[in-house]
Amino acid sequence: MSYRILLLALISGMLFTTCSDMPEHYETYEDYPIYEGTDLGVRYQPERTEFRLWSPAVTAARVRIYEDALGGEALQTLPLERSDAGTWYAALEGDQAGRYYTFQVRSEGAWLEEKPDPYARVVGTNGQRGMIIDLDSTDPEGWQQDRRRVTVQPTDAIIYELHVRDLSIAGNSGIQHKGKFLGLTETGTTSPDGLSTGLDHIREMGVTHVHILPAFDFRSIDESDPARFRYNWGYDPQNYNVPEGTYSTDPKDGAVRIREFKQMVQAFHRAGIGVILDVVYNHTGDTDKSVFNQLVPGYYYRHWEDGRFSDASACGNETASERAMVRNYIIESVRYWAEEYHLDGFRFDLMGIHDIETMNAVSSALHIMDPSILVYGEGWTAGDSPLPYEDRALKRFTHRLDGVAAFSDNIRDGIKGHVFTPDDRGFASGKLGLKETIKFGIVASTDHPQIEYDSVLWLDEARAWAASPTQTMTYVSCHDNHTLWDRLLNSQPDATEAERIRMQKLAGTIVLTSQGISFLHAGMEMLRTKYGVENSFESPDSINQIDWARKAQYAEVVDYFKGLIQMRKDHPAFRMTSTEMVQEHLQFLETEGTNFIAYTISGNANGDPWSDILVLLNGDLSDQDFDLPAGDWTPVLTEAGYREAGEADAKAGSITIPASTALVLMR
């Protein structure tokens, strides 16, 4: 080759390199092109594997193929070519099953870190590399026949919130696969007292759904070294579309965690129990080094005008759900979990960080798939946000959401006291001045002519915030903050254990007889304690585990809650589906006590076999007398528990309701 030809070739190559290294120019993130396809990430076939990454503003992109989940040199580096609507594409011929991959992009003259793609569905150890597999190979036997639990109305749901590890990790759980997805599949397990544990206990309690704390791949636990295990709740997302490896028996093999998660879902479905996943799309566990920021710099996050990451999550960042490709990502992710894993619902962490339009789009996409899928979330943020206030999916705007429910902190704090004041008392522990707040919770945050909204505490404005009972999550405790039992120990330190047990039972009765969607914290029925630790997200198993010895120790309380759940399931009057129905059938009665509530649900409400129901809630620390409405009333729920109508003598005239106790009667 002549010198002139060589020089021209070099110049030509330089020109090519320079042109390919020029980024696409966009004035704002809103100018980025929108990719409408559904093939982002990795698509495997035995004859070839296709890779597609959406990252419009970078100058180059590539895929690296590895033999192992961690360490080792890349077997191959595959350049990606610019393709449609800001995507980069390549195909690798041959069967790549079992190999690992990373994506990498070039931005501002430098190659950023290698990461699995945001849409990764399979990863290896610690989620550092994606894995190429045939997803069909992860289906357990009988998976094609697995079906979601049919829930006719959202208010029919009775949800039991649990952490995968907590339920099985205790030495007295009788469960073999402790702390694993498989631990929740085991049947026939018992405590040393011979009482059912794990899945059998949940089925025995009669709840309709389990709500599982984050079980997607999160970053705070080292999957490669069990000896260095650090407990975490999982609210630090890393790879959203992949089950967490520490809950599997082999974190390295991405197929194992998927198969075992499916086995868990399948086991619950066989027991007649739906599975709800706690999802955390509002922030990522890392910011600069996250999958999103290393592959699509800046786009997935909100920023203040000076360029700083905004932080409404109080975790260092917040995602920008209002941007088209972020919204599409969230929708596609929940659809994937619902389709691939047959999930029955989703709980959105800090839902108020998301915009209303995105939450409605999520609800629409899921309910087209299956109208019974439950969608609910926390209608608040943990800090300020650049997202306009009126666009946020906050509790006060729940009536603008469609098919989405929000947690009621009104009834939660009304029952036990203000959540951020650990020694504050509530209605159930004898504090006065909370009757209207409890009444507001009883009608599930809806519009009712007998509620004095100016007297309801913890309302942004004096009005109902839910359009119907189906939009309110009625609860008193969850994984956050103290367990209810620990809260009662803090707020009523001088009370006897028997007195606190009555308060715990009263609190549970308010939850399970109120309208809305019932939500229970796992272990509440056995007076679960975390030994005074308020937020146990990093506490050891000794704090977080469910101690199955308490099931025998407090058997009477367990039976009481079991009866409460059964009564709610037996009687649709406690599960009304519209504001109009509640207004028509539920009436509060005049009472003398300062901390005493009485109301009736009349007219065979919602098709109930009982014509008239009378609910009496005595939050006072002393006994209360009450004149019954005319007629003969049969007690069906007393301090001793739930009894079918006809098993007790009918009452008329005046009755006495013991301190810190609920009574339900039927006519």
Side-chain angles (χ1 to χ4, degrees):
M1 179 183 293
S2 70
Y3 175 78
R4 183 179 179 186
I5 294 174
L6 179 61
L7 182 61
L8 287 172
L10 288 170
I11 293 171
S12 174
M14 288 171 62
L15 287 173
F16 175 77
T17 302
T18 303
C19 291
S20 66
D21 208 40
M22 289 293 290
E24 297 287 344
H25 180 71
Y26 305 101
E27 292 292 333
T28 69
Y29 292 127
E30 284 67 30
D31 296 330
Y32 278 33
I34 300 170
Y35 183 67
E36 302 288 354
T38 58
D39 61 341
L40 288 172
V42 176
R43 293 295 181 269
Y44 165 82
Q45 293 179 328
E47 61 275 11
R48 70 194 319 237
T49 299
E50 296 178 295
F51 304 88
R52 189 180 294 275
L53 173 71
W54 181 82
S55 190
V58 300
T59 57
R62 62 192 183 191
V63 169
R64 289 190 163 185
I65 307 298
Y66 291 89
E67 188 69 35
D68 297 311
L70 295 172
E73 297 295 321
L75 301 175
Q76 186 175 357
T77 299
L78 186 68
L80 298 171
E81 300 295 332
R82 282 196 186 274
S83 186
D84 302 334
T87 65
W88 300 78
Y89 174 83
L92 187 58
E93 301 299 324
D95 193 344
Q96 305 299 323
R99 288 185 168 175
Y100 300 87
Y101 71 89
T102 60
F103 281 85
Q104 193 175 25
V105 302
R106 185 174 175 84
S107 178
E108 297 183 353
W111 287 99
L112 303 186
E113 292 187 5
E114 296 178 50
K115 296 287 180 181
D117 62 285
Y119 288 80
R121 298 178 172 185
V122 192
V123 298
T125 309
N126 287 334
Q128 297 302 300
R129 292 172 183 167
M131 189 177 184
I132 303 169
I133 65 169
D134 177 4
L135 273 171
D136 289 343
S137 69
T138 67
D139 293 348
E141 184 179 353
W143 185 245
Q144 298 307 314
Q145 289 72 49
D146 182 73
R147 295 292 181 270
R148 296 186 194 88
R149 185 188 193 280
V150 176
T151 305
V152 177
Q153 291 289 343
T155 49
D156 293 336
I158 302 171
I159 299 169
Y160 190 81
E161 183 205 47
L162 60 90
H163 183 280
V164 170
R165 190 173 176 89
D166 293 357
L167 202 76
S168 61
I169 200 66
N172 59 9
S173 71
I175 295 172
Q176 178 183 352
H177 294 94
K178 296 184 186 301
K180 305 297 183 183
F181 294 130
L182 291 182
L184 294 174
T185 71
E186 296 180 34
T187 58
T189 61
T190 60
S191 69
D193 300 291
L195 300 179
S196 63
T197 63
L199 174 59
D200 285 349
H201 170 77
I202 297 172
R203 176 166 45 189
E204 179 186 285
M205 291 306 298
V207 297
T208 65
H209 294 73
V210 291
H211 161 146
I212 294 177
L213 264 64
F216 49 74
D217 182 56
F218 51 89
R219 63 184 289 271
S220 51
I221 301 178
D222 185 358
E223 299 171 359
S224 68
D225 186 0
R228 297 174 60 192
F229 174 81
R230 291 174 61 249
Y231 182 96
N232 203 279
W233 282 340
Y235 290 95
D236 54 339
Q238 182 168 249
N239 294 293
Y240 282 101
N241 296 325
V242 189
E244 165 62 20
T246 53
Y247 299 149
S248 75
T249 58
D250 185 0
K252 178 183 177 182
D253 187 342
V256 172
R257 62 177 77 191
I258 294 173
R259 183 178 303 109
E260 291 176 354
F261 189 102
K262 289 177 177 178
Q263 288 175 275
M264 175 189 69
V265 173
Q266 187 179 48
F268 276 117
H269 284 171
R270 285 173 175 168
I273 299 168
V275 181
I276 297 165
L277 183 63
D278 197 327
V279 291
V280 191
Y281 296 110
N282 66 80
H283 74 278
T284 56
D286 200 351
T287 306
D288 290 322
K289 303 297 185 182
S290 74
V291 170
F292 296 112
N293 228 31
Q294 288 296 308
L295 295 180
V296 197
Y299 177 84
Y300 280 84
Y301 299 96
R302 294 190 187 120
H303 306 259
W304 295 110
E305 290 185 359
D306 62 5
R308 290 179 297 118
F309 288 100
S310 54
D311 187 19
S313 68
C315 296
N317 60 73
E318 61 179 294
T319 54
S321 61
E322 72 279 9
R323 290 189 192 135
M325 289 299 288
V326 184
R327 177 178 294 154
N328 288 354
Y329 178 84
I330 295 171
I331 294 169
E332 213 168 309
S333 180
V334 294
R335 281 176 56 92
Y336 171 70
W337 280 103
E339 289 173 346
E340 185 68 28
Y341 293 95
H342 304 176
L343 291 183
D344 302 82
F346 299 90
R347 177 267 194 187
F348 279 74
D349 179 67
L350 292 179
M351 183 174 69
I353 294 176
H354 298 313
D355 65 291
I356 291 171
E357 185 177 346
T358 293
M359 288 308 306
N360 281 335
V362 165
S363 174
S364 176
L366 290 172
H367 292 142
I368 287 172
M369 183 186 307
D370 184 342
S372 71
I373 292 176
L374 295 168
V375 183
Y376 59 94
E378 294 179 300
W380 44 78
T381 70
D384 196 13
S385 170
L387 182 69
Y389 186 81
E390 63 275 11
D391 293 342
R392 303 176 193 174
L394 297 167
K395 182 187 73 173
R396 70 180 300 177
F397 299 133
T398 302
H399 60 281
R400 292 169 52 193
L401 297 172
D402 184 12
V404 180
F407 284 95
S408 173
D409 54 351
N410 306 101
I411 194 167
R412 178 197 69 193
D413 292 0
I415 293 173
K416 69 179 181 181
H418 189 257
V419 70
F420 296 125
T421 311
D423 60 351
D424 188 28
R425 291 181 295 142
F427 179 89
S429 44
K431 185 176 181 178
L432 306 181
L434 292 167
K435 287 176 64 171
E436 290 304 314
T437 304
I438 298 297
K439 287 165 61 179
F440 179 68
I442 288 168
V443 300
S445 323
T446 60
D447 185 34
H448 192 282
Q450 291 182 285
I451 304 296
E452 298 174 11
Y453 291 92
D454 288 337
S455 299
V456 176
L457 299 183
W458 307 295
L459 269 184
D460 293 325
E461 52 186 323
R463 63 169 180 81
W465 51 259
S468 80
T470 61
Q471 288 196 295
T472 293
M473 304 300 298
T474 303
Y475 79 124
V476 65
S477 61
C478 65
H479 65 280
D480 282 322
N481 309 109
H482 289 107
T483 69
L484 178 59
W485 185 244
D486 289 346
R487 176 54 175 263
L488 292 172
L489 287 167
N490 285 339
S491 62
Q492 283 284 15
D494 297 328
T496 65
E497 181 176 83
E499 289 169 338
R500 284 192 292 268
I501 286 174
R502 287 204 301 269
M503 295 172 190
Q504 180 106 353
K505 289 160 67 174
L506 173 59
T509 305
I510 295 171
V511 169
L512 286 160
T513 56
S514 292
Q515 303 302 313
I517 302 170
S518 295
F519 180 98
L520 305 171
H521 183 213
M524 178 183 178
E525 70 279 8
M526 59 185 85
L527 310 182
R528 182 179 182 178
T529 179
K530 294 184 181 180
Y531 306 98
V533 176
E534 183 172 9
N535 280 298
S536 62
F537 66 99
E538 288 184 318
S539 297
D541 290 327
S542 59
I543 299 297
N544 283 290
Q545 68 188 5
I546 290 182
D547 178 6
W548 291 99
R550 296 177 76 86
K551 183 173 181 181
Q553 183 180 359
Y554 299 109
E556 181 265 335
V557 185
V558 174
D559 288 342
Y560 182 88
F561 273 84
K562 193 187 309 180
L564 266 178
I565 291 167
Q566 189 61 51
M567 184 177 73
R568 184 176 182 89
K569 292 170 71 174
D570 288 345
H571 295 284
F574 299 115
R575 301 180 269 118
M576 289 187 272
T577 58
S578 72
T579 296
E580 294 74 20
M581 193 184 296
V582 176
Q583 291 172 344
E584 178 183 354
H585 295 283
L586 193 151
Q587 180 181 10
F588 291 99
L589 306 179
E590 291 293 330
T591 57
E592 296 295 330
T594 55
N595 215 28
F596 184 80
I597 295 172
Y599 66 94
T600 57
I601 309 175
S602 302
N604 300 101
N606 199 24
D608 200 292
W610 289 346
S611 175
D612 298 296
I613 301 170
L614 174 62
V615 179
L616 305 175
L617 306 171
N618 182 15
D620 205 272
L621 300 180
S622 60
D623 297 352
Q624 295 290 313
D625 294 327
F626 179 74
D627 291 330
L628 293 169
D632 292 333
W633 291 89
T634 301
V636 291
L637 179 76
T638 66
E639 192 177 358
Y642 173 53
R643 297 179 292 180
E644 285 292 342
E647 293 183 12
D649 295 333
K651 306 288 185 183
S654 179
I655 61 170
T656 299
I657 302 91
S660 310
T661 299
L663 186 64
V664 179
L665 306 94
M666 62 81 65
R667 182 170 59 182

